[in-house]
Amino acid sequence: MGKAYYCTHCKAQLNVGNDIIFTVKNNKKNAGLLLVSPQVGDYSVKKDTLFEIEKGEHLEIICPVCHQNLHEGKVHENLAKVIMKDESGHESELYFSEIFGERCTYKITDKKLEKYGDDSMNYNFWGSEFDY
Ligand SMILES: [Zn+2]
């Protein structure tokens, strides 16, 4: 089986089938569901057309199980975080942008950083702490 994704707060698993499920709030504070590909570096998302999100909106990304915000403001005001476990149970931290349409993901495993996405140069939060 593939990778699994977990809430940093309640540790609930967030992926079902071929999607990771997030509750999100848009700029108008309307809440809805967003389905995100579990493939790191694949930025296809699914949402209902009636739930309007503009490209560039700063979303609140919320765990659908415990309703806590996945925001990781210590690192950057635009980034959220989930835990990823691979097939062998090895954990990574996955940081991704809360800006709708921005393509960047940072995977940190044992202080080793991997960057994904066309916009991954937008954030430079890791300094010299990580090897990459
Ligand atoms: Zn949770």
Side-chain angles (χ1 to χ4, degrees), residues 7-12 14 63-68 70:
C7 171
T8 49
H9 301 287
C10 71
K11 314 295 182 208
L14 301 175
C63 171
V65 179
C66 72
H67 303 138
Q68 292 211 60
L70 298 173

Side-chain angles (χ1 to χ4, degrees), residues 3-131:
K3 300 173 176 66
Y5 296 83
Y6 299 90
C7 171
T8 49
H9 301 287
C10 71
K11 314 295 182 208
Q13 191 180 344
L14 301 175
N15 58 304
V16 177
N18 289 317
D19 296 297
I20 305 173
I21 303 177
F22 293 119
T23 299
V24 300
K25 273 188 196 166
N26 64 15
N27 284 352
K28 297 178 185 123
K29 300 289 177 194
N30 294 324
L33 293 172
L34 198 64
L35 305 185
V36 179
S37 168
Q39 198 67 43
V40 177
D42 174 3
Y43 294 95
S44 54
V45 295
K46 287 184 243 172
K47 68 172 188 67
D48 195 89
T49 49
L50 292 176
F51 181 46
E52 289 180 19
I53 311 175
E54 304 284 336
K55 202 163 187 246
E57 268 194 64
H58 189 169
L59 302 175
E60 285 180 50
I61 299 176
I62 297 159
C63 171
V65 179
C66 72
H67 303 138
Q68 292 211 60
N69 199 318
L70 298 173
H71 184 59
E72 196 62 29
K74 289 195 299 288
V75 172
H76 192 283
E77 62 182 16
N78 291 350
L79 295 178
K81 177 182 159 186
V82 292
I83 302 295
M84 186 182 95
K85 278 189 199 168
D86 69 13
E87 292 81 350
S88 55
H90 208 101
E91 271 189 28
S92 302
E93 296 171 290
L94 215 59
Y95 295 87
F96 56 98
S97 177
E98 296 164 335
I99 308 296
F100 189 63
E102 191 172 53
R103 296 169 169 230
C104 55
T105 311
Y106 307 93
K107 181 182 164 193
I108 296 174
T109 315
D110 301 330
K111 300 235 166 189
K112 188 173 175 300
L113 178 81
E114 293 170 60
K115 292 183 279 190
Y116 299 88
D118 295 340
D119 299 320
S120 63
M121 296 314 289
N122 290 6
Y123 303 98
N124 188 1
F125 59 84
W126 48 84
S128 56
E129 193 183 342
F130 300 103
D131 307 320

